[in-house]
Amino acid sequence: MIVAIYPGSFDPITNGHLDIIDRARRIFDHLIVAVLQNPNKVPLFSAEERKRMIEEAVADFPNVEVEVFDGLLVHFARSRGCRVILRGLRAISDYEYETQIALTNRKMAPEIETVFLPTSTEYSYLNSTVVKEIARFGGCVRGLVPPGVERRLREKFSSVSR
Ligand code: ADP
């Protein structure tokens, strides 16, 4: 039984993330989407909100669960019996950063392998920051994020001054 962990900020989850989750759940027996509560970043959505949005988006995927974590990823992965860390790769610019993190994690936890999945071409430009910028200024994010995220972005920015 191979349990993989897909960590990230997911602030908020996009269809690019969802595409990686959907493909990975067919490869691994069990997939944990791990929402990072990072004390160095001020997110738009709380960790619980981010978790809930992902849970809604993966409701039809029986072998996918969502958890919030803080601290070191390898400690969390070990505590859940994960043997694989999954990351998505978009541009070649992702590669340098991701390799550095993967090698650092391997140094700390040699029994856990990092696996990269390349993005699907239609999502290669997509990231959470772009989505937030579009939504902040009243643009349409349909097709870029799951419907529940689209709704919450609208609510968030209609209550926050621009
Ligand atoms: P982090 O803050 O850790 O980079 P993100 O939430 O931005 O977390 O991304 C989590 C993971 O998803 C990363 O591996 C990132 O490369 C990947 N990812 C983000 N957007 C896409 C996309 N459009 N296609 C494929 N992978 C993606």
Side-chain angles (χ1 to χ4, degrees):
M1 165 115 172
I2 299 188
V3 181
I5 190 162
Y6 180 36
S9 308
F10 304 108
D11 185 36
I13 185 169
T14 70
N15 285 346
H17 295 127
L18 202 52
D19 170 68
I20 295 285
I21 293 169
D22 190 24
R23 287 156 58 207
R25 77 185 174 96
R26 298 159 201 270
I27 301 172
F28 302 107
D29 299 299
H30 191 77
L31 182 66
I32 299 173
V33 181
V35 178
L36 174 62
Q37 197 156 31
N38 184 346
N40 298 321
K41 276 191 195 170
V42 180
L44 177 63
F45 293 100
S46 72
E48 276 310 313
E49 286 177 308
R50 286 178 273 154
K51 176 175 187 248
R52 213 164 312 127
M53 287 187 276
I54 302 171
E55 279 172 343
E56 281 173 23
V58 304
D60 292 336
F61 302 164
N63 61 336
V64 179
E65 70 177 310
V66 190
E67 288 199 57
V68 173
F69 80 105
D70 56 13
L72 280 183
L73 172 64
V74 289
H75 290 165
F76 180 69
R78 263 190 193 139
S79 75
R80 296 295 182 276
C82 293
R83 282 159 54 194
V84 172
I85 293 171
L86 173 72
R87 295 285 287 176
L89 285 184
R90 284 157 297 184
I92 197 75
S93 51
D94 278 347
Y95 180 82
E96 202 177 327
Y97 172 74
E98 293 292 343
T99 309
Q100 185 187 9
I101 302 287
L103 293 177
T104 309
N105 283 335
R106 170 137 26 110
K107 183 85 183 151
M108 291 184 288
E111 78 281 12
I112 301 175
E113 282 293 349
T114 297
V115 170
F116 297 132
L117 270 189
T119 180
S120 298
T121 42
E122 66 262 45
Y123 301 124
S124 59
Y125 64 93
L126 192 55
N127 66 41
S128 301
T129 304
V130 164
V131 163
K132 283 181 281 193
E133 282 306 289
I134 296 172
R136 183 187 306 276
F137 297 108
C140 177
V141 293
R142 187 157 308 151
L144 305 183
V145 294
V149 175
E150 188 190 344
R151 196 189 67 246
R152 281 188 183 77
L153 280 167
R154 250 198 324 268
E155 287 166 7
K156 191 68 95 179
F157 288 119
S158 63
S159 62
V160 172
S161 65
R162 289 181 189 164

